[in-house]
Amino acid sequence: MSLPKRDGVHNRYYLIHKPDTSPEVLAEADLCIQDVLNGTARENHSAYPTVVRNHNGTPFLPDQLLERYLTRLPLKGFPCEDAVSLCDAMRRLVGWQEIRYKLEKYIEKQVQERFFLVGERDDGFTVFPPCTVLPELRAEDVDEGLLRFACYVAICHTVYGQSFESLTTEHILGLVSQLRPDMVKQLKTAGSGKLPKDIQQRKTEHFTASANDAFAAIRITAKDSTEECYAEILDYLCAVLEQEEFPRSYSVEFRGKQKIYLPIPGLPKKGINQLFACAVQHPDLHPAIERYTRLAMREYEWYQNLADEACAMPGSFAVFALGLEGEQWAPLVAEYLDLCDDEHSSLQEKFLHALIRKFGFQTWTLGVLVRGALSMQWLKPAKEFRSLIANAESLDALLTVKRRFSAYLLPEEDKDPKFRAIAWQSLLWAIWGTASENGGSKVIKTAPKELKEKYQQVFA
């Protein structure tokens, strides 16, 4: 099969929404949709625009693939679970923002315009028009599967979208509640209903908790500050995350009597911070904290109740808590740093600063710093770093890392000499910042006489 040539501005992908699109291109698009469902499709994470490629390498725009899929679904007997599977797979692949608009427009067309009398926005402030159910609408004309899908789209706006997208959630749920108030009430109180009852709600003498998979929210209130209390809470958190139905991006709202936080300046003082600051005080709970961490960590997933500048991968606060306990947790910290999204995540910088301040520059902390410097765009040094490194022991540790640098890189990284050079320069930048440029001439020039030779070896 030979595909028609792409031309002009669209030469990086095939368009499939035109009436005259060739059957060959449409067949490749359908193959791409199937590959998205199978998990074998690929996307260009760093390029613009985002495209999705099938296993033949044929590229398409994600919103056009989604549109093609949705417009072919029946509105009577709407296959909600199938549609959700495709949307979830597409979101994991390209991100929510790439599919958000298309889903919103689909609900507008297939629910709002078909079932409601749409009024005018007369005040200039409201985002959505007033909608009232069509007088002639019969109950049998409204498909339950379609309404469930509308609820799914509504909730995605809150769970995966930016803060203002909750307005869209309210609007869509408002539409559904006019048709099926029981459906919306069920979602708000018990989620999808797929979670076991003892996961939806749990109450013991030490804590109360609830989990809502529809809104990706976990709420916990500790009644005391005992080790038993935190042990039960950690066990509950792990039990929630072991449920396949529970989203991998979620919020944890925690309230406890002990108001302490991790000793990391600049970390948001949220309940999740408080929880792990309290739990980590009990050494016997460290394995349970690690268990939660390994269940929670997922690349490109987030705690949903943290602001954009404080965005963090699930498990972050647990990793930070254990990391500050010492060298035995360095492998877990490195694993976490390798999963961090280097374009959006930056809280790890505050943790790394606290780690070095606490333990100084040792071979193991420098090993963690190597992975940290590669986890984000140019990790900035803390102002104390220059003085903390300015001793023979710390410089010898850095020289040891330099000699064995391959051991601190992943095998695929170590194969590329250019990458190795960039990784080493990133580490030096993380310690000295701009002074590490030009062969560290500024650093060497101001070095104490007895340490000058070691500085020269570092920058050689």
Side-chain angles (χ1 to χ4, degrees):
M1 182 190 80
S2 62
L3 291 172
K5 288 184 178 179
R6 293 165 284 166
D7 55 280
V9 72
H10 301 302
N11 64 355
R12 286 169 292 172
Y13 47 84
Y14 288 96
L15 296 174
I16 57 173
H17 64 321
K18 294 182 177 179
D20 60 346
T21 303
S22 75
E24 293 94 334
V25 169
L26 293 177
E28 287 289 306
D30 292 338
L31 187 62
C32 197
I33 290 167
Q34 193 57 51
D35 284 353
V36 169
L37 283 165
N38 297 341
T40 54
R42 292 292 171 261
E43 56 87 39
N44 57 333
H45 182 59
S46 57
Y48 180 83
T50 298
V51 299
V52 178
R53 295 177 185 275
N54 62 21
H55 62 257
N56 293 332
T58 314
F60 298 96
L61 295 169
D63 64 335
Q64 289 195 5
L65 291 174
L66 184 59
E67 182 178 35
R68 176 167 175 78
Y69 176 84
L70 290 173
T71 53
R72 298 163 86 196
L73 295 179
L75 295 173
K76 272 285 186 189
F78 185 88
C80 180
E81 289 190 9
D82 292 346
V84 167
S85 294
L86 189 276
C87 293
D88 276 347
M90 191 73 86
R91 175 189 58 79
R92 286 192 294 269
L93 186 64
V94 299
W96 166 248
Q97 290 304 324
E98 291 289 337
I99 62 172
R100 174 189 65 82
Y101 181 76
K102 194 61 66 178
L103 287 172
E104 192 178 332
K105 287 298 170 187
Y106 182 80
I107 299 304
E108 185 181 307
K109 181 180 179 182
Q110 303 301 353
V111 176
Q112 180 173 301
E113 292 178 7
R114 286 176 63 231
F115 303 145
F116 292 86
L117 200 58
V118 181
E120 294 290 330
R121 291 189 303 127
D122 53 8
D123 59 5
F125 293 103
T126 51
V127 180
F128 297 98
C131 298
T132 50
V133 179
L134 290 168
E136 68 274 18
L137 190 71
R138 298 173 304 169
E140 58 267 30
D141 294 334
V142 182
D143 187 81
E144 180 171 331
L146 183 59
L147 290 189
R148 291 198 179 282
F149 184 65
C151 289
Y152 162 81
V153 172
I155 289 161
C156 280
H157 277 81
T158 288
V159 175
Y160 304 112
Q162 298 177 57
S163 56
F164 65 83
E165 290 182 45
S166 60
L167 295 172
T168 307
T169 301
E170 290 174 18
H171 175 66
I172 297 175
L173 291 182
L175 296 177
V176 177
S177 65
Q178 292 188 60
L179 299 166
R180 285 286 302 274
D182 59 313
M183 192 182 284
V184 176
K185 186 179 179 183
Q186 162 77 11
L187 280 173
K188 288 183 175 178
T189 55
S192 69
K194 293 177 182 176
L195 294 179
K197 288 284 187 284
D198 73 321
I199 298 291
Q200 284 181 33
Q201 304 274 344
R202 187 172 293 188
K203 185 176 184 178
T204 75
E205 64 175 288
H206 293 294
F207 81 105
T208 58
S210 65
N212 188 310
D213 59 336
F215 287 90
I218 303 170
R219 293 182 176 87
I220 301 168
T221 301
K223 297 180 183 177
D224 57 63
S225 302
T226 62
E227 182 173 329
E228 291 78 11
C229 174
Y230 296 120
E232 287 185 8
I233 288 170
L234 289 167
D235 183 63
Y236 175 73
L237 277 173
C238 291
V240 173
L241 295 190
E242 282 172 342
Q243 304 299 313
E244 286 187 18
E245 301 294 339
F246 199 79
R248 307 322 289 179
S249 286
Y250 54 91
S251 63
V252 176
E253 294 173 16
F254 172 79
R255 291 182 180 180
K257 296 181 182 300
Q258 199 176 8
K259 295 288 192 282
I260 61 169
Y261 299 93
L262 294 171
I264 302 173
L267 222 56
K269 290 189 174 181
K270 292 282 192 174
I272 190 76
N273 181 339
Q274 180 189 355
L275 171 58
F276 288 104
C278 293
V280 81
Q281 295 178 109
H282 307 283
D284 288 348
L285 297 184
H286 291 182
I289 296 174
E290 180 188 13
R291 180 179 164 224
Y292 166 76
T293 299
R294 295 195 180 282
L295 285 169
M297 290 192 303
R298 291 285 189 285
E299 191 175 17
Y300 309 131
E301 303 286 4
W302 309 97
Y303 281 125
Q304 292 298 326
N305 56 334
L306 295 177
D308 292 345
E309 65 276 8
C311 64
M313 181 169 69
S316 293
F317 296 86
V319 171
F320 298 165
L322 290 174
L324 291 179
E325 291 297 302
E327 183 176 1
Q328 70 269 35
W329 298 108
L332 176 66
V333 173
E335 202 176 311
Y336 164 81
L337 291 168
D338 288 342
L339 280 175
C340 279
D341 176 3
D342 63 355
E343 289 185 18
H344 301 107
S345 180
S346 61
L347 275 196
Q348 66 266 35
E349 182 176 85
K350 300 179 192 306
F351 160 73
L352 291 164
H353 288 177
L355 182 79
I356 302 295
R357 285 191 194 107
K358 182 171 183 177
F359 296 106
F361 288 100
Q362 304 179 46
T363 50
W364 76 269
T365 57
L366 283 161
V368 170
L369 196 59
V370 170
R371 302 315 309 168
L374 293 172
S375 77
M376 58 188 296
Q377 306 287 331
W378 297 105
L379 170 66
K380 295 173 187 172
K383 58 180 183 292
E384 304 97 315
F385 281 11
R386 287 196 198 189
S387 55
L388 287 174
I389 194 95
N391 60 79
E393 294 80 8
S394 296
L395 290 167
D396 283 340
L398 183 55
L399 287 168
T400 299
V401 169
K402 184 179 184 180
R403 283 192 295 273
R404 298 177 48 233
F405 198 55
S406 291
Y408 299 94
L409 299 177
L410 301 176
E412 60 270 26
E413 296 170 346
D414 192 41
K415 288 176 186 173
D416 184 350
K418 282 184 181 177
F419 187 92
R420 281 202 306 272
I422 291 169
W424 176 250
Q425 189 56 47
S426 297
L427 176 61
L428 297 181
W429 176 281
I431 300 170
W432 286 286
T434 54
S436 66
E437 295 173 349
N438 303 314
S441 56
K442 283 184 181 177
V443 179
I444 295 167
K445 187 177 179 182
T446 56
K449 189 177 179 182
E450 68 275 13
L451 297 176
K452 199 171 287 274
E453 188 179 335
K454 292 186 188 293
Y455 278 103
Q456 287 168 336
Q457 290 174 28
V458 165
F459 288 99

